[in-house]
Structure formats: C-alpha cells, structure tokens
Amino acid sequence: NSGFLGRLWGYFSFVFSSIWAGLFKTKEKYDIILVTSPPLFVGITAYVLSRFKRIPFVFEVRDLWPESAIDTGVVTNKWIIKFAYWFEGFIYKKAKLINVLTPAFRDTLISQKAVPESKVVFIPNAADFSLSDELINSHFDRVDFRVKNNWQDKFVITYVGAHGVANHLIQVLETADLIQSKLPNVLFVLIGNGMQKEMLIEEAKCRKLTNVHFIDSVPKKDVFKYIIASDFGMSVLKKVDTFKTIYSNKTFDYMACKTPLFLLIDGVSRQLVEEAQCGVFVEPENPQAFASAIETYVNINVREMGLNGYNFAKLHFDRDVLAKRYIKYLMDV
C-alpha cells in the first residue's frame, strides 16, 4: 500500500522469492502446481516452475484480475495494465486447468476471454461447518457472550474481514451516522484490519459515532463466536461492476453460523442470498437504503432466515464435499 513502486515490489519480490524457493527448497517430487490469484503475477512463478519441474499447473481465479485492480484504483499505470491483460491470456493458455470461484467468472472466461469450456471448472468458496457446528453443538452461550461484550439490549450488525479500499466500509459509518439518534440500540461491529482501518477510526471519532465498535483481527474460531452472537452479519464491497461477479467469503461464514446478513454487493452474491433466502440485499454505497433496511428488520425475528442460509450452504457449499470434488479434478490432471 505504499504507492506504485511499493506495490510492484510487493508483487514481484514474491514472484522472485517463490521461484527461488520452488527451485531450491522443494526437493520432493510433486505431481502438480496449484497457483491462486490475485495477484495475477503469481502465475509467473507457476509457469517457470512448471517448465523447470516438467509438471502441469492449475490456475485458480479468486478474483478477476486485472479488472478488479483497475476498478478499485489499485493499479493505474497503463503499461502495467497492458502487460497484465497480455499475461492473463498467456497464463490461461498455459494452465492445464482453471478453477473459478463463481459462475460469473466461468462465463467471463469462456465468453469474453476465449478460454475453452473444457478447461474451466467451478469450485466455489465454502462454508466451514467444522467450526460453526462445534460451537453450536457445544451449547455456546450466546447470551453470556453478548453480556461480556456489553451487547445486551443491542441489535448487533457485525462485519468480519479486510478494511481495505475494495471493502469501502465508509458506507457503514455513513449509515451509522444516519441512524445513531433514531435507532440508538443498533450497534455496528467491525472486526479485522486493513489499510483504511485507521482512517475509519478517525472518521468515526470525527462523526462522534458511539454505535460503531472496532475490533482487531481475532482467530477464526473466535470470529464465529462474534457472528453467532450477532443479530445480522454484513458483506460489503465498493460499488463497481467487477464485484458483481464475486462471492464474498464472509457470506459463507454467516450462513454456516445461522446468522442472516445484510448484503451490500450486487450481482451473483445477490442472486445467491436471494435464492437461499438468508439475507437482505441493500444497494451498495446507499446509506439511506441501508438505514431503511435496518429500521425494517430491527424488530423482526429473522431466525428462519438464518436457518435458510445454513441449510442452503450445507447443501451446496460444504467445505468437505467441495474439497473432495476439487481433489478429483486435480487427480484427473
């Protein structure tokens, strides 16, 4: 996050160090190389090691790059953008198999980027039921946890994840500002870290927001405690077209914890939540719409909505089931 040169150093120092490690530190015989992007430039490592070790590589698309980097302003240099588009096509051509995390990615690769359909498989992000079920089945004391965190008599809306440019969490603070006096029992809890966290904390102080609570990153098991104890989760991203193609990781965590969510992301994530009937879509970067949605649901029992998400994720996004399917694709390669 230290400007153009710093970002390039971040990308390519990893490329060089991972090539070195792959060549000189990995002595065993491997069957396959699995590379996950973004950033796209990790594909350089995959291609070089694939040539030297004479084994195929599988390329995993977790976000459309360079599109998402361009839309969020992370990459602006025209030469880097031009190289990234060329290299994207090159790496798709050289990969033995490409795994995409959403149906929209699959459609984009096939229809817009001329990737053969036979080369593309779809293994999405998954819900981790091992952690959530352990807490739920161990009779985790939700009420006691809320008391310890001073959440009693609060309507808690929790966000878990990065506090970065792409997340655009300023829209949460703008919503908190709108409802602070009107709905004093509503509390926004933001868990995690990122390049914009300090700015967000200062902004909350400037606005004198007492209904926003910041918490540093916590272990995944503890994250699930916060989610289970919350009334709603939040999935939030900047309003750009590229993000209409992604599934939000945290959405699956909310679903696994039987917690309904406010979804401030349009596109395939909206389709997922509406099909599962596990949350409420709100137009991103529209604080008035978010405030209105909160006012609607603050006094409604949404337990069924949370159960809908859990059951839908159990059927379609169980991590163990998807892992076994992924292993089969890798073994076929």
Side-chain angles (χ1 to χ4, degrees):
N1 300 322
S2 56
F4 174 68
L5 291 178
R7 192 167 290 117
L8 278 186
W9 174 245
Y11 292 151
F12 287 99
S13 64
F14 180 79
V15 168
F16 298 139
S17 62
S18 57
I19 289 174
W20 180 83
L23 291 176
F24 302 110
K25 291 293 184 179
T26 54
K27 304 297 185 182
E28 295 82 1
K29 178 174 172 53
Y30 296 95
D31 299 299
I32 201 164
I33 297 169
L34 177 63
V35 58
T36 181
S37 167
L40 177 68
F41 305 120
V42 295
I44 298 172
T45 301
Y47 177 68
V48 171
L49 294 182
S50 177
R51 292 299 302 269
F52 272 96
K53 292 179 177 289
R54 298 184 180 182
I55 55 176
F57 73 90
V58 171
F59 192 77
E60 184 174 87
V61 180
R62 303 186 67 84
D63 201 355
L64 288 177
W65 228 81
E67 286 90 341
S68 63
I70 295 168
D71 283 351
T72 56
V74 170
V75 175
T76 56
N77 183 280
K78 64 178 182 178
W79 297 108
I80 295 294
I81 291 171
K82 188 175 182 179
F83 170 74
Y85 274 117
W86 171 84
F87 184 69
E88 179 192 33
F90 174 83
I91 212 71
Y92 290 161
K93 183 178 180 181
K94 297 299 181 180
K96 188 73 172 179
L97 190 74
I98 301 170
N99 178 51
V100 295
L101 269 64
T102 78
F105 291 173
R106 178 177 57 197
D107 295 343
T108 299
L109 262 62
I110 294 169
S111 64
Q112 298 180 28
K113 298 181 183 288
V115 177
E117 187 173 350
S118 60
K119 192 182 249 191
V120 182
V121 298
F122 169 47
I123 302 290
N125 285 327
D128 186 358
F129 290 101
S130 62
L131 283 174
S132 60
D133 285 351
E134 180 184 343
L135 285 172
I136 293 168
N137 296 331
S138 67
H139 306 293
F140 166 66
D141 194 331
R142 180 177 185 271
V143 174
D144 181 64
F145 187 87
R146 287 174 65 92
V147 170
K148 287 179 179 177
N149 285 277
N150 201 27
W151 289 2
Q152 61 270 39
D153 303 323
K154 295 290 186 182
F155 183 83
V156 181
I157 306 171
T158 294
Y159 169 86
V160 177
H163 294 42
V165 174
N167 312 101
H168 200 68
L169 293 176
I170 190 69
Q171 60 189 301
V172 176
L173 270 58
E174 291 168 348
T175 305
D177 201 0
L178 288 175
I179 68 172
Q180 181 164 226
S181 58
K182 190 175 185 180
L183 298 171
N185 64 321
V186 174
L187 176 66
F188 296 91
V189 177
L190 307 180
I191 304 174
N193 290 300
M195 67 177 291
Q196 291 201 332
K197 181 161 184 173
E198 291 304 318
M199 178 276 290
L200 292 165
I201 292 173
E202 287 303 313
E203 182 67 21
K205 289 178 181 177
C206 289
R207 292 174 182 261
K208 299 180 180 178
L209 299 178
T210 59
N211 57 349
V212 179
H213 184 198
F214 291 94
I215 299 175
D216 288 337
S217 296
V218 297
K220 188 69 175 283
K221 188 171 183 178
D222 291 334
V223 164
F224 276 37
K225 292 178 181 178
Y226 283 98
I227 294 174
I228 291 171
S230 300
D231 296 284
F232 265 81
M234 279 187 291
S235 290
V236 184
L237 283 175
K238 191 177 177 66
K239 188 179 181 181
V240 295
D241 286 343
T242 303
F243 291 153
K244 292 180 180 180
T245 65
I246 67 105
Y247 284 155
S248 168
N249 276 340
K250 54 195 68 69
T251 296
F252 296 103
D253 290 338
Y254 304 140
M255 294 169 82
C257 292
K258 302 183 181 179
T259 302
L261 69 140
F262 289 115
L263 179 77
L264 281 70
I265 310 169
D266 207 344
V268 293
S269 283
R270 178 182 181 180
Q271 294 168 14
L272 168 67
V273 168
E274 290 180 345
E275 184 180 357
Q277 297 182 334
C278 66
V280 179
F281 168 73
V282 179
E283 182 185 8
E285 298 188 33
N286 187 339
Q288 289 79 14
F290 194 11
S292 178
I294 293 169
E295 188 173 3
T296 298
Y297 284 91
V298 71
N299 293 313
I300 295 178
N301 187 331
V302 291
R303 183 174 181 273
E304 184 177 353
M305 199 183 288
L307 287 172
N308 288 342
Y310 178 88
N311 292 330
F312 190 87
K314 200 77 169 177
L315 187 62
H316 299 286
F317 299 101
D318 188 305
R319 178 174 289 186
D320 289 342
V321 174
L322 293 175
K324 289 172 184 174
R325 190 182 305 166
Y326 204 169
I327 288 171
K328 184 181 183 304
Y329 282 129
L330 297 179
M331 291 182 71
D332 288 344
V333 169

